[in-house]
Amino acid sequence: MNSLFQQKIQSDWWSKSFAGICLGFIFALLCASIITLWAIQNLSPGLAPQLGMWSIPWIWLPVYFIAYFIPRGWQSILILTVVNILAYSILCWLRGA
């Protein structure tokens, strides 16, 4: 059995690009919402939206970069979907909904 690190990286860049662009951006928005909710409670209310807004590229671009190092495109879509579900669950838990 090949481990995850011994597998050859496939060249299915369409699905990896979809995962990085779409699912990575959704993940960055969810993280920015979590950061904004935290900042409203712990920092200045005027600073919270700016902190959330400017955190989006700092989260999105590394996730987009990492999506190409996952061996197959369907794996990157699956991993980022699960991560998005977890981030959305955390956001709903923090909002109390």
Side-chain angles (χ1 to χ4, degrees):
M1 263 180 132
N2 288 338
S3 69
L4 183 63
F5 298 109
Q6 293 175 347
Q7 293 178 1
K8 183 179 176 186
I9 296 176
Q10 302 294 320
S11 62
D12 50 351
W13 59 274
W14 281 104
S15 56
K16 291 178 183 182
S17 296
F18 168 76
I21 292 171
C22 296
L23 296 175
F25 183 68
I26 293 169
F27 177 69
L29 287 176
L30 290 170
C31 288
S33 299
I34 292 169
I35 290 169
T36 303
L37 283 176
W38 173 81
I40 285 174
Q41 295 173 356
N42 297 321
L43 298 175
S44 170
L47 179 66
Q50 290 294 317
L51 185 64
M53 180 183 67
W54 289 107
S55 67
I56 292 173
W58 291 99
I59 298 168
W60 182 27
L61 294 177
V63 170
Y64 181 57
F65 177 75
I66 289 169
Y68 286 100
F69 286 101
I70 299 173
R72 290 185 173 74
W74 67 268
Q75 289 174 337
S76 104
I77 291 172
L78 180 69
I79 289 169
L80 287 177
T81 301
V82 169
V83 169
N84 280 334
I85 290 170
L86 289 174
Y88 187 71
S89 300
I90 292 171
L91 179 65
C92 288
W93 176 68
L94 287 175
R95 290 185 66 200

